[in-house]
Every structure is written in structure tokens, then in C-alpha cells.
Amino acid sequence: MLNNEAAHNTVSPPELGEILASLWSFKIYILIICFVAGLASIYVAINTPNVYRSEALLAPTEDLQGKSNDMGSQLDGLATLAGLGSLDSKGFKTEVAQAKILTKEFLYGFITEHDLILDILAVKSWNRDSKEVTYDDEVYDAEAKKFILPDDLSLEWLTYKVMSENLIIDKVRGGFISISYEHPSPIVAQYVVENVVKDINNQMQNFDIEQSNKSIKYLEEKLLQTNIADMQAMFYRLIEEQIKNKMLTEIKSEYIFTTLDPAIVAEEKSGPRRVLIIIVSVLLAGIFGCFIGLIRFYRGR
């Protein structure tokens, strides 16, 4: 008797037809949810400003030149022991330069030198016809020429965060390097990429020139400290080679990265993909509506 009652009280699992029928009866509410989500996504898509991407394709300069200019090999061991060795391992300079671009030291200096705080933080949109930008009223008061931000927030820090998020460095097939930046203004995007490449080349070049000067000074000091003819001849030879290295460093216009395809002012936007935003929003809303319908179905059993 107890077994019969237990079997009678057991709820059988729902069949697929029952679930589909329940969802079909809930279709009006699902359609309403999708409609509301569609309207909201259309509003968001329309009011999201265009973003433009500027990109430069680069090749490591040392890879193009090979080892023909590696004239200081005899000096490497001695200079390294003295703490004066330059970053001249094949490929290492390029890796260092790529890493340095995204450092706080480089980007803070880049932002300050090129006065980019206003362009990076406050620009909301760009007018193709007038070539003028519109500033975000919630960030910057254009009439008072003043940022509307909490006093405890550093403008440099906020600018650094935005730049580091939108500045992308990628290795592409063939060992080439792509540097790109996205911004509401294609002019600003092109300016950032072009000058990032120029500045990192200059910084790395100046560093190696400074290291060469230190190496020459070190060797000249050692030369004065010895009276042995063979040692003096060696130091003269090493000084000569280091001077040659310095001269070769100074004459390179693109020291670390050679530009194969320069950054240009983009003619077409890279985002947002408005149609995709609307489609995804409606699909997610439909899934959400079906989920609510399933909850309603199981609660009613």
C-alpha cells in the first residue's frame, strides 16, 4: 500500500513537448523582453561614438641589417664586467623596446611631452566634415577649460590607464611588429602611433650612445693606468671599435624599428559594430526570456 502511494506521489519528469508548449504560451512576454532590449541596444549603438584605429607595421632594424654592424664584440666582455655593456644581443633590443613602450615611465613622459591629457581623456567624438572634436561634458568643461573630475584622481594616471588599454603591440607573421591605437579621432590615433615609434627609437638610440660614451671613458681611464705596450694597444683598438659603434648608432634614423607601413589617418571607423550590438542584445534577451519561462513552468508543476 505504501509503495503504491509513493509511486502515485512521484512526479514524472516533464516531456519536451510540455516545455515547448509552456514557452509558446509565454511567447508574448519573451517578445516584449526582446523588443525592449532591441530598443535599448539601438539607443546605445546610436549614441556610441565611432572609434578609429591607426596602425603601423614595423620590422626590427637589427634583423634587416643583420650582424654587419656588430663591431664591438671584443668589447662586450670587458664592458659588461665594468657594468657598461649595451643591450646588443640579437633580438633583445627589440624585446626591450616593446616592453618599454607600455611602461609607466615611457607613457608618462610621452603624455607630458606631447601634451595629450586633453585629447586622450576628454575627446568624445570627431566630426569628419569639420575635422573637429567634441568633448565629453561629464569629463571636461570646454567653456571653462577645466576637467570635471575628483581632485584625488591624477590626470596623468587616468591618461596612462586609457592609453595603455588602447595602445596595442602585436607580433605578426614573419617577425614583424604591429603597433596600433584606437581613438574617437583618427588624427589623434595616427599622431600617437607615429610618435610612439619615433620616441622609442630616439630613447633607445640615446641610451646606447650614452653607454658608448661611458665605455669610451672607462677604457680611456684604464689606458692611463697601464704602461704595458700590449695592453695599451688593446685599449686603443677597443676604443676605436667603440667609437665606430657610437658613430653607427648616431647615423641611424630608425634605430630599433624600421617602418614598413606608416600610420595614417583612418578613413573608416573600426568600431563600434552597431548591428552586432543589436543582434547580440536581442539574442541574450531572448535567452533570458526563455529562462524566465522555464522558471514559471517548473514552479507551476
Side-chain angles (χ1 to χ4, degrees):
M1 183 68 179
L2 291 175
N3 291 337
N4 291 336
E5 290 181 356
H8 179 73
N9 292 331
T10 301
V11 178
S12 60
E15 295 182 359
L16 179 60
E18 293 180 275
I19 296 175
L20 293 177
S22 177
L23 290 178
W24 181 253
S25 66
F26 195 65
K27 63 182 180 296
I28 300 299
Y29 300 98
I30 295 175
L31 290 174
I32 291 174
I33 293 173
C34 291
F35 180 74
V36 172
L39 290 179
S41 63
I42 290 172
Y43 176 81
V44 170
I46 291 175
N47 288 277
T48 301
N50 292 337
V51 175
Y52 298 86
R53 174 183 292 180
S54 188
E55 183 176 6
L57 181 64
L58 314 171
T61 302
E62 60 186 353
D63 286 353
L64 295 178
Q65 295 176 341
K67 297 185 177 182
S68 59
N69 291 332
D70 187 12
M71 306 183 70
S73 58
Q74 298 180 60
L75 179 62
D76 291 344
L78 181 60
T80 301
L81 289 175
L84 303 174
S86 61
L87 304 174
D88 57 359
S89 297
K90 183 171 176 59
F92 188 58
K93 280 184 183 179
T94 304
E95 296 293 335
V96 170
Q98 291 178 67
K100 187 175 179 62
I101 288 173
L102 298 177
T103 61
K104 297 180 183 68
E105 179 186 11
F106 178 83
L107 288 181
Y108 267 68
F110 183 80
I111 291 164
T112 302
E113 181 180 351
H114 297 280
D115 194 19
L116 289 172
I117 293 178
L118 180 61
D119 288 328
I120 300 300
L121 284 185
V123 172
K124 182 179 181 180
S125 61
W126 178 77
N127 188 298
R128 177 179 292 275
D129 296 327
S130 64
K131 309 296 182 183
E132 295 178 351
V133 296
T134 302
Y135 296 108
D136 189 343
D137 294 336
E138 297 181 359
V139 176
Y140 183 74
D141 186 344
E143 293 184 0
K145 296 183 178 180
K146 182 180 179 181
F147 280 94
I148 310 171
L149 292 170
D151 294 334
D152 59 337
L153 294 177
S154 166
L155 293 178
E156 290 78 7
W157 169 248
L158 293 174
T159 308
Y160 161 76
K161 287 181 64 178
V162 173
M163 279 206 68
S164 59
E165 290 173 0
N166 291 284
L167 184 62
I168 301 171
I169 303 174
D170 286 324
K171 290 183 179 179
V172 297
R173 189 173 181 180
F176 301 118
I177 298 159
S178 167
I179 296 182
S180 62
Y181 189 76
E182 289 189 342
H183 191 270
S185 166
I187 298 173
V188 174
Q190 186 269 343
Y191 181 88
V192 168
V193 175
E194 181 180 62
N195 284 279
V196 161
V197 176
K198 185 184 299 182
D199 285 10
I200 193 62
N201 273 330
N202 290 338
Q203 282 197 21
M204 297 295 289
Q205 185 177 38
N206 291 336
F207 174 82
D208 275 0
I209 291 173
E210 182 182 354
Q211 292 301 99
S212 293
N213 288 332
K214 288 181 179 180
S215 299
I216 293 169
K217 181 179 178 181
Y218 169 80
L219 292 168
E220 288 174 343
E221 290 174 355
K222 291 300 179 182
L223 176 63
L224 295 175
Q225 295 173 10
T226 181
N227 294 321
I228 303 173
D230 289 343
M231 290 294 295
Q232 289 178 338
M234 181 190 72
F235 282 126
Y236 278 123
R237 187 169 63 254
L238 294 178
I239 291 172
E240 179 185 359
E241 295 297 331
Q242 193 64 3
I243 291 174
K244 290 178 182 178
N245 275 337
K246 179 183 175 182
M247 291 173 60
L248 290 171
T249 298
E250 290 175 334
I251 64 174
K252 294 177 184 176
S253 58
E254 294 184 302
Y255 184 62
I256 295 295
F257 298 118
T258 297
T259 303
L260 302 180
D261 188 13
I264 62 172
V265 176
E267 295 291 336
E268 298 181 353
K269 66 181 180 69
S270 61
R273 301 175 66 179
R274 293 184 172 87
V275 175
L276 183 61
I277 291 174
I278 296 170
I279 292 174
V280 171
S281 298
V282 172
L283 287 176
L284 291 176
I287 294 171
F288 179 71
C290 291
F291 180 72
I292 294 176
L294 289 174
I295 294 175
R296 170 178 168 274
F297 169 74
Y298 280 101
R299 282 185 176 180
R301 283 176 60 79

